């Protein structure tokens, strides 16, 4: 028999409603940030819509035929689109068309194809994204043209190369009377260094807030300050240029000193935690910021993975970084699977697509051509891959795939004629606790050599008799040296690449040394 408490049944159910005067002070961004991040915005829609100008203006009787012709053109570019043809009151065309695409990527691709498209000899299209049209606004009433900036003549930036005794110049940072000081000196062999100018100009207290750096060709001395970066040069170390970027942490130059790259972690971020231009590229001569990048957009991370972040082509036409890793449906980060290459003419992705390479580990540019070499790690199901890609057409020149590769390094010859890839291969591996990998059965070392100047890019293999230590090319020639052995004994092996040969030929085996860890050739001789 079940007893029922009548009083309990008559009790009122508790109310979970908010009081009438309750004010919710918690923003949606704090509660469902990950969901709101995927919410479509007006800007995203405008980035996927295109305006085409230069359309023939015809009367009502020819609009149908014009629509058929244009639809065929647009469909060849991107089949998935919606086109709107605005008409006059009489039913004729207005000379423009609005096209909607599924996403930003397809819209930008269509813009690249249709902008400048020649329909006939009298009609050439002009394409513009909706969000770009906002830039064409009426200037303010009090707008004034920019004033001319007087030329800042700091003298010869390469004056230091004209020293009558051909002395080298260097800079040091130290504390003097408790104040951080930077000074530039002449190197005098066998004597104390000599100040490279007047003490108040070549030696300055608090010249930089953190560190300094020379540009690649020595034209500029770069100092970092709280509000930005400054360049100094000339016989009196005058200020050449400055760049406003607060709290800069890292700086880097392009190979020919045309561009400066700065990185600073933003003090203020948007509610997604992104900084839209923490990575900035500047014009060294004018001081103008040419492009700003969001670190999160490039890497899907809030922390800088490496520095220099961008790698430049020899002629500065392109710069590249590893593509941001993709995420699966469970929001777990996958491995990096490509390279993002940008062109300096527009600072946009070349051909609007990435170079896809699964499990890519590293890449580097040829020193004399717009060719990228890459190395991709092996997995349990995929072999390691190393190869060459030519830019800007992204043509795969040659690639090689090898199973059971534990480590690899790439070495470009200074002339750009050849690329050497060292690979360490294992027989079997075991996974220990904590993710540590143990290779069982020993490892072997190999050198793979790409000959870029040969037809179809030939590839040769060189097994090494002992474990690999280091590698060095003769800058302009057919020889190279490999250091093999271990910490107790390192042996330099000198090889030569002969014409019509399938493998390099051993020229000499130099005396072993216990302290060999690097190898270099003299620039214009056979001295190692």
């Amino acid at each position: 028999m079940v007893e029922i408490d009548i009083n309990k049944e008559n009790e009122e159910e508790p109310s979970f409603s908010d009081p009438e005067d309750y004010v919710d002070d918690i923003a949606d961004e704090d509660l469902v940030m990950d969901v709101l991040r995927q919410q479509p915005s007006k800007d995203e829609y405008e980035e996927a819509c295109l305006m085409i100008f230069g359309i023939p203006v015809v009367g009502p009787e020819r609009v149908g035929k014009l629509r058929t012709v244009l639809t065929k053109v647009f469909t060849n570019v991107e089949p998935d689109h919606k086109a709107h043809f605005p008409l006059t009151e009489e039913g004729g065309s207005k000379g423009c068309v609005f096209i909607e695409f599924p996403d930003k990527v397809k819209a930008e691709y269509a813009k690249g194809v249709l902008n400048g498209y020649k329909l006939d000899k009298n009609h050439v299209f002009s394409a513009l994204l909706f969000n770009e049209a906002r830039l064409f606004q009426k200037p303010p009433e009090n707008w004034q043209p920019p004033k001319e900036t007087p030329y800042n003549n700091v003298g010869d930036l390469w004056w230091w190369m004209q020293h009558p005794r051909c002395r080298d110049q260097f800079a040091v940072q130290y504390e003097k009377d408790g104040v951080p000081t930077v000074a530039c000196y002449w190197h005098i062999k066998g004597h104390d260094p000599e100040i490279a100018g007047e003490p108040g100009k070549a030696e300055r207290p608090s010249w930089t807030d953190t560190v300094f750096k020379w540009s690649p060709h020595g034209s500029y001395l770069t100092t970092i300050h709280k509000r930005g970066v400054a360049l100094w040069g000339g016989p009196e170390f005058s200020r050449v240029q400055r760049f406003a970027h607060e709290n800069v942490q890292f700086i880097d130059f392009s190979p020919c000193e045309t561009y400066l790259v700065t990185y600073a972690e933003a003090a203020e971020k948007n509610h997604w935690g992104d900084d839209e231009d923490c990575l900035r590229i500047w014009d060294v001569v004018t001081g103008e910021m040419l492009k700003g990048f969001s670190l999160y957009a490039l890497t899907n991370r809030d922390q800088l993975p490496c520095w220099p972040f961008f790698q430049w082509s020899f002629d500065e036409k392109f710069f590249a970084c590893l593509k941001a890793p993709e995420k699966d449906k469970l929001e777990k980060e996958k491995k990096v699977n490509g390279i993002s290459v940008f062109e300096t003419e527009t600072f946009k992705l070349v051909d609007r697509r990435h170079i896809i390479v699964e499990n890519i580990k590293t890449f580097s540019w040829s020193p004399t051509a717009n060719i990228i070499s890459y190395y991709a790690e092996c997995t349990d199901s995929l072999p390691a891959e190393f190869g060459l890609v030519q830019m800007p057409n992204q043509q795969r020149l040659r690639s090689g795939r090898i199973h059971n590769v534990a480590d690899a390094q790439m070495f470009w010859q200074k002339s750009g004629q050849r690329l050497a890839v060292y690979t360490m291969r294992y027989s079997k591996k075991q996974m220990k606790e904590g993710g540590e990998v143990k290779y069982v059965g020993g490892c072997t070392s190999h050198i793979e050599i790409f000959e870029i100047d040969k037809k179809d890019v030939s590839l040769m293999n060189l097994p090494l008799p002992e474990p690999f230590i280091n590698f060095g090319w003769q800058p302009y020639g057919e020889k190279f040296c490999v250091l093999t052995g271990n910490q107790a004994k390192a042996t330099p092996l000198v090889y030569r690449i002969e014409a019509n040969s399938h493998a390099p030929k051993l020229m000499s085996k130099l005396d072993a040394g216990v302290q060999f860890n690097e190898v270099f050739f003299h620039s214009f001789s056979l001295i190692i």
Side-chain angles (χ1 to χ4, degrees):
M1 184 174 181
V2 180
E3 295 183 359
I4 300 176
D5 190 345
I6 300 177
N7 296 328
K8 190 174 182 180
E9 281 190 347
N10 294 332
E11 289 181 0
E12 295 183 1
E13 295 184 0
S15 175
F16 296 98
S17 302
D18 295 328
E20 295 182 359
D21 57 346
Y22 174 77
V23 178
D24 188 359
D25 57 352
I26 302 177
D28 292 340
E29 288 82 358
D30 298 331
L31 294 175
V32 287
M33 180 183 296
D34 55 339
V35 176
L36 290 178
R37 189 165 195 160
Q38 302 175 7
Q39 180 182 6
S41 64
K42 183 179 179 181
D43 292 337
E44 291 178 358
Y45 177 76
E46 291 184 347
E47 290 173 349
C49 295
L50 200 63
M51 294 183 288
I52 307 294
F53 300 96
I55 304 298
V57 178
V58 298
E61 67 281 357
R62 300 181 59 190
V63 167
K65 184 177 180 180
L66 176 64
R67 189 191 299 264
T68 302
V69 173
L70 295 179
T71 301
K72 184 177 180 180
V73 173
F74 301 152
T75 302
N76 289 336
V77 176
E78 173 53 52
D80 190 4
H81 74 277
K82 296 179 182 178
H84 172 67
F85 297 82
L87 303 176
T88 62
E89 295 180 356
E90 293 78 16
S93 64
K94 285 189 173 182
C96 62
V97 175
F98 304 102
I99 311 176
E100 179 184 350
F101 295 94
D103 52 48
K104 173 184 175 181
V105 176
K106 292 183 178 179
E108 289 184 343
Y109 173 76
K111 176 191 171 184
V113 176
L114 296 175
N115 190 35
Y117 181 87
K118 191 173 182 180
L119 184 65
D120 54 46
K121 64 179 181 180
N122 296 322
H123 298 90
V124 179
F125 293 169
S126 296
L128 193 68
L129 294 173
F130 273 32
N131 63 328
E132 294 175 339
R134 294 184 178 275
L135 302 177
F136 297 95
Q137 297 178 352
K138 184 179 179 180
E141 296 180 358
N142 57 352
W143 181 85
Q144 296 291 335
K147 297 180 180 180
E148 291 187 6
T149 304
Y151 174 66
N152 182 21
N153 186 7
V154 299
D156 187 359
L157 294 175
W158 284 16
W159 66 278
W160 48 273
M161 296 190 67
Q162 304 168 28
H163 194 281
R165 297 192 177 183
C166 302
R167 290 173 178 168
D168 292 329
Q169 189 180 108
F170 67 96
V172 292
Q173 185 175 8
Y174 54 90
E175 279 197 8
K176 184 177 181 180
D177 299 329
V179 179
T181 303
V182 175
C184 298
Y185 290 92
W186 294 113
H187 171 67
I188 306 175
K189 187 176 181 180
H191 299 275
D192 292 338
E194 180 182 292
I195 195 75
E198 299 179 14
K201 296 178 179 178
E203 180 185 26
R204 303 182 189 182
S206 303
W207 201 346
T208 180
D209 291 348
T210 55
V211 296
F212 71 90
K213 181 178 181 177
W214 290 104
S215 60
H217 296 310
S219 306
Y220 309 103
L221 178 69
T222 312
T223 57
I224 300 178
H225 308 271
K226 183 177 181 180
R227 295 195 174 184
V229 177
L231 301 185
W232 311 81
E236 298 183 353
F237 295 97
S238 305
R239 189 173 67 190
V240 181
Q241 194 56 264
R242 57 183 177 180
F243 311 90
H245 193 182
E246 292 188 0
N247 302 317
V248 168
Q249 296 171 280
F250 299 100
I251 57 174
D252 184 45
F253 282 89
S254 59
C256 302
E257 301 180 344
T258 305
Y259 306 101
L260 173 70
V261 184
T262 60
Y263 169 77
E265 186 175 350
E268 295 183 2
K269 299 182 180 181
N270 58 28
H271 53 271
W272 308 128
D274 300 346
D275 176 25
E276 296 180 355
D277 57 357
C278 63
L279 271 166
R280 301 181 184 180
I281 299 180
W282 309 80
D283 187 308
V284 169
V285 175
T286 65
E288 177 187 3
M289 190 181 83
L290 302 175
K291 181 66 176 179
F293 290 95
S294 165
L295 181 64
Y296 189 89
L298 292 176
T299 65
N300 280 344
R301 301 172 184 170
D302 296 326
Q303 299 294 327
L304 193 68
C306 62
W307 192 262
F309 182 76
F310 293 119
Q311 294 194 36
W312 294 82
S313 63
F314 80 104
D315 56 1
E316 299 181 335
K317 289 184 178 180
F318 307 98
F319 60 98
C321 63
L322 290 178
K323 176 178 172 288
E326 297 179 352
K327 294 185 178 181
D328 56 16
K329 295 181 180 179
L330 298 177
E331 293 295 312
K332 291 183 178 179
E333 190 174 280
K334 295 183 178 180
K335 288 189 176 182
V336 179
N337 66 340
I339 307 172
S340 301
V341 184
F342 302 87
E343 54 184 348
T344 52
E345 184 176 351
T346 62
F347 289 90
K348 293 183 179 180
L349 202 64
V350 175
D351 205 17
R352 297 172 180 81
R353 59 192 175 102
H354 305 277
I355 301 174
I356 302 301
V357 181
E358 294 295 334
N359 301 315
I360 185 170
K361 179 70 174 179
T362 185
F363 72 95
S364 62
W365 287 93
S366 164
T368 58
N370 290 323
I371 297 176
I372 293 178
S373 63
Y374 64 87
Y375 161 65
E377 294 179 303
C378 67
T379 63
D380 294 337
S381 58
L382 294 175
E385 180 180 348
F386 44 89
L388 300 169
V389 180
Q390 189 172 38
M391 297 301 297
N393 56 6
Q394 299 190 14
Q395 178 186 358
R396 304 289 178 110
L397 299 179
R398 185 68 188 266
S399 64
R401 294 177 176 84
I402 302 174
H403 288 276
N404 301 345
V405 175
D407 186 26
Q409 298 179 42
M410 296 184 294
F411 303 89
W412 274 102
Q413 190 177 18
K414 187 176 181 179
S415 64
Q417 291 180 296
R418 299 176 181 88
L419 169 72
V421 181
Y422 151 69
T423 57
M424 183 178 74
R425 309 178 191 179
Y426 61 89
S427 301
K428 188 178 180 181
K429 69 176 181 179
Q430 294 179 350
M431 296 295 294
K432 292 187 175 182
E433 295 182 1
E436 183 182 356
V437 180
K438 180 181 179 181
Y439 299 107
V440 182
C443 297
T444 58
S445 299
H446 297 255
I447 299 292
E448 316 291 332
I449 297 179
F450 292 86
E451 292 198 89
I452 316 298
D453 56 345
K454 299 294 183 181
K455 185 179 180 181
D456 298 329
V457 185
S458 62
L459 177 62
M460 59 179 67
N461 174 265
L462 173 65
L464 298 179
E466 295 181 286
F468 172 88
I469 298 177
N470 214 324
F471 182 96
W473 279 108
Q474 183 184 9
Y476 301 93
E478 292 76 31
K479 301 176 182 64
F480 62 89
C481 179
V482 186
L483 285 181
T484 61
N486 49 49
Q487 294 180 352
K489 181 182 178 182
T491 304
L493 304 176
V494 181
Y495 292 86
R496 180 175 61 193
I497 299 176
E498 297 182 343
N500 302 322
S501 177
H502 298 289
K505 181 180 179 181
L506 180 63
M507 289 182 56
S508 60
K509 184 177 181 180
L510 305 181
D511 294 336
V514 295
Q515 296 181 345
F516 292 159
N517 51 26
E518 298 281 348
V519 55
F520 300 97
F521 276 82
H522 188 275
S523 300
F524 301 101
S525 68
L526 301 180
I527 301 175
I528 298 178

